[in-house]
RNA sequence: GGACAGCUGGCCGAGUGGUCGAAGGCGCACGCCUGGAACGCGUGUAAAGGGCAACCUUUCUAGAGUUCGAAUCUCUAGCUGUCCGCCA
């Protein structure tokens, strides 16, 4: 959630900032109006309540002193009805504000480039040179089927479309990648954590998936539980509603989970192959930091993911997302796009975001510094999406006969 | 699934109707002590919101109720623990 005080205090600048993220200006205006209404409503209620509290205090005093309370009781009863109405008005104002505020995205950082969509993202740098082939490189699904690694049909038989089965060397590669990634991240100072893959509504509100994006989530029937779309949700919410010691920060974590997404809005994109599945594996990085640490940790996380790709020998590039392509909770995001020879294109394999205090405000993650409670900064990044890494390995290291040479760093994991 | 017990501040824990936002302890911060530290001693220390000072409001798991007044009484839900049952 954005800082509503800031919106009040510096409305023009805040509104301009949100507009860069394509937030409807009517929404911004109503946010302002609603928070002002709430403030006024509260003021009225609170002074009425203060008067009532005083009368109740007197009541006790009169009883002790043996004075008559008859007159006071008439007063108290009269004020009571009014208080109920005022409280109800306040509740309505609160609800109205929250309904909107929880659906407003985060401010982008001021230095994030303006833009409409992914075409306006800005390339930071390229790492490693794409391989040159003496033959026409195949796309990964062809290679996967030829090598017997992935069985798309049987995945559909077991569940539905966008599910697949990985077997043989494919399954071993998947497991090797997960272990390699976790070890790599751990060596960079990220503590390994294993978390639930089902979470409650509160957790998803904390990181911003709810209330706005419920259609993208798989929900367990009859339970208030959802399958996680990313390990970012449980890892970040680990510290939900806690006040941390400043000296314990930054907390840097890595975790492996399966992720589940409905891919509701993805239309017919990437239906073939394993780029966009309902269930996929991902090793995630999450950090909780002090406000002054998050830029530094952000760079560490980007470097960690990029170095991981480099260690696997995978050519990739780093791009800064423009305002229009930025996610709901992100103030800034760097995407890592891996080179896919079969598609002759760079495709997203990791996304590292700094949400600043946006998630922390929702999830109430704070730290104590000089006696004050300060909202923490939370960051998340994939390191890496396992399925897409397999795709990249297949396409980049394919031979003319369709066989695949696996990266040497994985040898000890296979 | 059944029975019983519990849920209080960063943590532990006292508190059974009226200055209780809550004793005490731990932790933490500052000061004294010390060559420096530990120990010891002293002081301070819940959160959110509003004025941004005094102060006011809200919060003792959540919701509803009783009452002039609820951490304290009643009901419901959730969670935790223990025992039993069931199943891996």
């Amino acid at each position: 959630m954005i800082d509503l005080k800031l919106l009040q205090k510096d409305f023009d600048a805040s509104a301009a900032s949100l507009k860069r993220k394509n937030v409807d200006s009517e929404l911004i205006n109503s946010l302002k109006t609603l928070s002002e209404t709430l403030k006024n409503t509260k003021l009225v209620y609170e002074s009425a309540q203060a008067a009532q509290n005083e009368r109740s205090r007197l009541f006790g005093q009169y009883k002790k002193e043996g004075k008559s309370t008859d007159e006071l009781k008439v007063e108290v009863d009269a004020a009571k009805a009014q208080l109920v109405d005022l409280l109800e008005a306040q509740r309505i104002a609160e609800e109205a504000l929250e309904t909107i505020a929880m659906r407003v995205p985060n401010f982008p950082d001021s230095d994030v480039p303006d833009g409409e969509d992914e075409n306006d993202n800005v390339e930071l740098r390229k790492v490693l040179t794409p391989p040159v082939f003496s033959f026409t490189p195949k796309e990964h699904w062809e290679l996967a089927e030829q090598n017997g690694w992935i069985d798309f049909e049987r995945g559909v038989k077991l569940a539905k479309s966008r599910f697949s089965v990985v077997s043989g060397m494919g399954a071993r590669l998947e497991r090797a990648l997960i272990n390699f990634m976790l070890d790599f991240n751990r060596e960079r100072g990220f503590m390994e954590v294993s978390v639930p893959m089902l979470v409650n509504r509160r957790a998803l509100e904390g990181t911003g998936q709810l209330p706005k994006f419920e259609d993208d989530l798989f929900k367990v029937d009859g339970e208030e539980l959802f399958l996680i779309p990313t390990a970012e949700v449980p890892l970040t919410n680990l510290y939900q509603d806690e006040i941390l010691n400043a000296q314990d920060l930054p907390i840097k974590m890595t975790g492996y989970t399966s992720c589940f997404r409905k891919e509701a809005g993805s239309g017919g994109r990437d239906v073939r192959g394993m780029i966009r599945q309902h269930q996929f594996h991902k090793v995630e990085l999450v950090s909780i930091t002090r406000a002054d640490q998050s830029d530094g940790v952000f760079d560490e996380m980007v470097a960690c993911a990029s170095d991981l790709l480099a260690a696997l020998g995978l050519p990739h590039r780093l791009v800064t997302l423009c305002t229009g392509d930025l996610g709901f909770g992100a103030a800034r995001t760097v995407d890592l796009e891996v080179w896919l020879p079969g598609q002759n294109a760079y495709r997203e394999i990791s996304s590292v975001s700094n949400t600043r205090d946006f998630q922390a405000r929702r999830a109430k993650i704070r730290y104590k510094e000089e006696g004050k409670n300060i909202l923490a900064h939370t960051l998340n990044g994939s390191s890496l999406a396992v399925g897409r890494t397999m795709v990249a390995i297949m396409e980049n290291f394919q031979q003319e006969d369709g066989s695949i040479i696996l990266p040497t760093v994985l040898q000890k994991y296979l």
Side-chain angles (χ1 to χ4, degrees), chain A residues 219-258:
Chain A
K219 186 170 189 291
V220 179
D221 192 28
E223 297 264 359
E224 273 300 286
L225 291 172
F226 298 81
L227 275 66
I228 57 168
T230 160
E232 168 198 341
V233 179
L235 285 173
T236 307
N237 280 285
L238 235 30
Y239 295 97
Q240 173 205 103
D241 206 18
E242 294 197 24
I243 300 171
L244 303 158
N245 288 324
Q247 64 263 29
D248 294 338
L249 301 178
I251 293 168
K252 303 198 294 180
M253 298 170 280
T254 185
Y256 151 74
T257 67
S258 294

Side-chain angles (χ1 to χ4, degrees), chain A residues 370-389:
Chain A
E370 287 167 13
K372 290 185 118 180
N373 294 325
I374 301 169
L375 290 170
H377 280 197
T378 64
L379 305 94
N380 62 80
S382 21
S383 153
L384 301 163
V386 178
R388 290 187 183 185
T389 307

Side-chain angles (χ1 to χ4, degrees), chain A residues 331-346:
Chain A
R332 74 184 308 113
T333 296
V334 167
D335 269 9
L336 279 75
E337 298 179 346
V338 72
W339 176 254
L340 295 185
Q343 294 195 12
N344 198 39
Y346 284 100

Side-chain angles (χ1 to χ4, degrees), chain A residues 125-128 177 180-181 183-190 285 297-318 334-338 349-350 352 382-384 389 397 407 409-410:
Chain A
R125 61 178 175 276
K126 287 194 170 82
V127 179
L128 301 181
L177 278 170
F180 170 65
M181 290 171 184
D183 282 349
F184 190 95
N185 295 339
R186 186 166 42 79
E187 279 161 23
R188 295 288 177 110
F190 293 86
L285 301 173
V297 173
F298 181 78
D299 292 342
E300 282 180 46
M301 289 166 69
V302 171
C304 185
S306 176
D307 293 349
L308 186 46
L309 278 169
L312 290 165
L314 292 170
H316 59 282
R317 63 172 192 163
L318 284 73
V334 167
D335 269 9
L336 279 75
E337 298 179 346
V338 72
I349 193 167
S350 167
V352 183
S382 21
S383 153
L384 301 163
T389 307
F397 305 137
V409 289
L410 293 179

Side-chain angles (χ1 to χ4, degrees), chain A residues 147-201:
Chain A
N147 285 282
W149 288 8
I150 303 176
D151 187 333
F152 295 106
E153 287 75 22
R154 290 198 174 93
V156 175
K157 178 163 74 178
L158 290 173
K160 63 173 194 170
S161 66
R162 290 193 192 277
F163 283 91
S164 55
V165 173
V166 180
S167 44
M169 186 45 104
R172 292 176 61 198
L173 174 62
E174 183 175 88
R175 182 158 53 86
L177 278 170
I178 292 164
N179 286 330
F180 170 65
M181 290 171 184
L182 286 171
D183 282 349
F184 190 95
N185 295 339
R186 186 166 42 79
E187 279 161 23
R188 295 288 177 110
F190 293 86
M191 182 182 65
E192 186 173 338
V193 185
S194 178
V195 287
M197 298 192 207
L198 271 71
V199 294
N200 57 33
R201 191 171 283 276

